[in-house]
mmCIF file of all heavy atoms in Angstrom:
data_model
loop_
_atom_site.group_PDB
_atom_site.id
_atom_site.type_symbol
_atom_site.label_atom_id
_atom_site.label_comp_id
_atom_site.label_asym_id
_atom_site.label_seq_id
_atom_site.Cartn_x
_atom_site.Cartn_y
_atom_site.Cartn_z
ATOM 1 N N ILE A 265 -0.313 6.581 65.353
ATOM 2 C CA ILE A 265 -1.223 5.698 66.085
ATOM 3 C C ILE A 265 -0.690 5.414 67.489
ATOM 4 O O ILE A 265 -1.445 5.383 68.478
ATOM 5 C CB ILE A 265 -1.435 4.392 65.290
ATOM 6 C CG1 ILE A 265 -2.239 4.681 64.017
ATOM 7 C CG2 ILE A 265 -2.159 3.354 66.132
ATOM 8 C CD1 ILE A 265 -2.390 3.491 63.098
ATOM 9 N N VAL A 266 0.643 5.204 67.598
ATOM 10 C CA VAL A 266 1.230 4.973 68.925
ATOM 11 C C VAL A 266 1.054 6.194 69.818
ATOM 12 O O VAL A 266 0.720 6.085 71.015
ATOM 13 C CB VAL A 266 2.721 4.598 68.774
ATOM 14 C CG1 VAL A 266 3.409 4.623 70.133
ATOM 15 C CG2 VAL A 266 2.850 3.229 68.127
ATOM 16 N N VAL A 267 1.287 7.381 69.278
ATOM 17 C CA VAL A 267 1.107 8.611 70.057
ATOM 18 C C VAL A 267 -0.342 8.752 70.496
ATOM 19 O O VAL A 267 -0.647 9.140 71.636
ATOM 20 C CB VAL A 267 1.565 9.838 69.237
ATOM 21 C CG1 VAL A 267 1.170 11.127 69.948
ATOM 22 C CG2 VAL A 267 3.073 9.789 69.011
ATOM 23 N N ARG A 268 -1.240 8.427 69.576
ATOM 24 C CA ARG A 268 -2.663 8.550 69.920
ATOM 25 C C ARG A 268 -3.054 7.572 71.021
ATOM 26 O O ARG A 268 -3.933 7.860 71.847
ATOM 27 C CB ARG A 268 -3.496 8.277 68.667
ATOM 28 C CG ARG A 268 -5.000 8.388 68.918
ATOM 29 C CD ARG A 268 -5.784 7.929 67.719
ATOM 30 N NE ARG A 268 -7.197 7.907 68.044
ATOM 31 C CZ ARG A 268 -7.807 6.928 68.693
ATOM 32 N NH1 ARG A 268 -7.112 5.883 69.108
ATOM 33 N NH2 ARG A 268 -9.103 6.992 68.955
ATOM 34 N N ASP A 269 -2.394 6.379 71.068
ATOM 35 C CA ASP A 269 -2.741 5.369 72.064
ATOM 36 C C ASP A 269 -1.926 5.507 73.348
ATOM 37 O O ASP A 269 -1.689 4.535 74.063
ATOM 38 C CB ASP A 269 -2.526 3.963 71.493
ATOM 39 C CG ASP A 269 -3.613 3.601 70.499
ATOM 40 O OD1 ASP A 269 -4.651 4.294 70.492
ATOM 41 O OD2 ASP A 269 -3.426 2.636 69.737
ATOM 42 N N GLY A 270 -1.476 6.703 73.633
ATOM 43 C CA GLY A 270 -0.723 6.911 74.872
ATOM 44 C C GLY A 270 -1.528 6.558 76.111
ATOM 45 O O GLY A 270 -0.979 6.119 77.131
ATOM 46 N N GLY A 271 -2.851 6.715 76.051
ATOM 47 C CA GLY A 271 -3.699 6.385 77.199
ATOM 48 C C GLY A 271 -3.662 4.900 77.526
ATOM 49 O O GLY A 271 -3.707 4.502 78.693
ATOM 50 N N VAL A 272 -3.572 4.082 76.545
ATOM 51 C CA VAL A 272 -3.497 2.634 76.768
ATOM 52 C C VAL A 272 -2.200 2.274 77.468
ATOM 53 O O VAL A 272 -2.150 1.438 78.373
ATOM 54 C CB VAL A 272 -3.622 1.889 75.424
ATOM 55 C CG1 VAL A 272 -3.455 0.381 75.644
ATOM 56 C CG2 VAL A 272 -4.962 2.185 74.785
ATOM 57 N N VAL A 273 -1.101 2.944 77.047
ATOM 58 C CA VAL A 273 0.187 2.700 77.693
ATOM 59 C C VAL A 273 0.115 3.064 79.179
ATOM 60 O O VAL A 273 0.621 2.350 80.043
ATOM 61 C CB VAL A 273 1.301 3.491 76.977
ATOM 62 C CG1 VAL A 273 2.630 3.320 77.715
ATOM 63 C CG2 VAL A 273 1.414 3.045 75.528
ATOM 64 N N GLN A 274 -0.521 4.205 79.479
ATOM 65 C CA GLN A 274 -0.659 4.606 80.883
ATOM 66 C C GLN A 274 -1.499 3.603 81.660
ATOM 67 O O GLN A 274 -1.209 3.280 82.810
ATOM 68 C CB GLN A 274 -1.314 5.995 80.949
ATOM 69 C CG GLN A 274 -0.444 7.111 80.401
ATOM 70 C CD GLN A 274 0.820 7.315 81.213
ATOM 71 O OE1 GLN A 274 0.816 7.146 82.447
ATOM 72 N NE2 GLN A 274 1.921 7.647 80.535
ATOM 73 N N LEU A 275 -2.541 3.078 81.019
ATOM 74 C CA LEU A 275 -3.397 2.090 81.678
ATOM 75 C C LEU A 275 -2.597 0.844 82.022
ATOM 76 O O LEU A 275 -2.715 0.279 83.110
ATOM 77 C CB LEU A 275 -4.584 1.745 80.787
ATOM 78 C CG LEU A 275 -5.574 0.699 81.344
ATOM 79 C CD1 LEU A 275 -6.246 1.208 82.605
ATOM 80 C CD2 LEU A 275 -6.617 0.345 80.271
ATOM 81 N N LEU A 276 -1.750 0.403 81.057
ATOM 82 C CA LEU A 276 -0.931 -0.780 81.318
ATOM 83 C C LEU A 276 0.100 -0.510 82.412
ATOM 84 O O LEU A 276 0.448 -1.393 83.197
ATOM 85 C CB LEU A 276 -0.229 -1.226 80.031
ATOM 86 C CG LEU A 276 -1.139 -1.784 78.922
ATOM 87 C CD1 LEU A 276 -0.336 -2.016 77.656
ATOM 88 C CD2 LEU A 276 -1.804 -3.075 79.360
ATOM 89 N N ARG A 277 0.596 0.741 82.485
ATOM 90 C CA ARG A 277 1.639 1.074 83.462
ATOM 91 C C ARG A 277 1.072 1.151 84.880
ATOM 92 O O ARG A 277 1.711 0.712 85.827
ATOM 93 C CB ARG A 277 2.297 2.393 83.063
ATOM 94 C CG ARG A 277 3.429 2.829 84.005
ATOM 95 C CD ARG A 277 4.047 4.128 83.514
ATOM 96 N NE ARG A 277 4.621 3.954 82.177
ATOM 97 C CZ ARG A 277 5.094 4.963 81.435
ATOM 98 N NH1 ARG A 277 5.044 6.200 81.896
ATOM 99 N NH2 ARG A 277 5.601 4.731 80.239
ATOM 100 N N HIS A 278 -0.108 1.717 85.025
ATOM 101 C CA HIS A 278 -0.666 1.945 86.368
ATOM 102 C C HIS A 278 -1.623 0.842 86.808
ATOM 103 O O HIS A 278 -2.122 0.878 87.920
ATOM 104 C CB HIS A 278 -1.382 3.297 86.416
ATOM 105 C CG HIS A 278 -0.444 4.458 86.156
ATOM 106 N ND1 HIS A 278 0.568 4.815 87.022
ATOM 107 C CD2 HIS A 278 -0.372 5.331 85.106
ATOM 108 C CE1 HIS A 278 1.235 5.863 86.537
ATOM 109 N NE2 HIS A 278 0.680 6.197 85.369
ATOM 110 N N LEU A 285 -7.577 -4.354 80.878
ATOM 111 C CA LEU A 285 -6.236 -4.274 80.310
ATOM 112 C C LEU A 285 -6.128 -5.111 79.040
ATOM 113 O O LEU A 285 -5.568 -4.676 78.036
ATOM 114 C CB LEU A 285 -5.208 -4.757 81.348
ATOM 115 C CG LEU A 285 -4.960 -3.841 82.547
ATOM 116 C CD1 LEU A 285 -4.017 -4.519 83.537
ATOM 117 C CD2 LEU A 285 -4.384 -2.500 82.095
ATOM 118 N N ALA A 288 -8.092 -3.404 76.105
ATOM 119 C CA ALA A 288 -7.433 -2.202 75.586
ATOM 120 C C ALA A 288 -6.175 -2.555 74.804
ATOM 121 O O ALA A 288 -5.908 -2.013 73.722
ATOM 122 C CB ALA A 288 -7.102 -1.262 76.738
ATOM 123 N N SER A 292 -5.404 -1.942 70.682
ATOM 124 C CA SER A 292 -4.248 -1.168 70.210
ATOM 125 C C SER A 292 -3.329 -2.024 69.341
ATOM 126 O O SER A 292 -2.884 -1.608 68.264
ATOM 127 C CB SER A 292 -3.470 -0.604 71.395
ATOM 128 O OG SER A 292 -4.274 0.294 72.134
#
Side-chain angles (χ1 to χ4, degrees):
I265 291 174
V266 169
V267 171
R268 180 188 174 279
D269 286 344
V272 176
V273 176
Q274 293 296 326
L275 179 63
L276 292 173
R277 181 179 299 172
H278 298 293
L285 289 175
S292 297

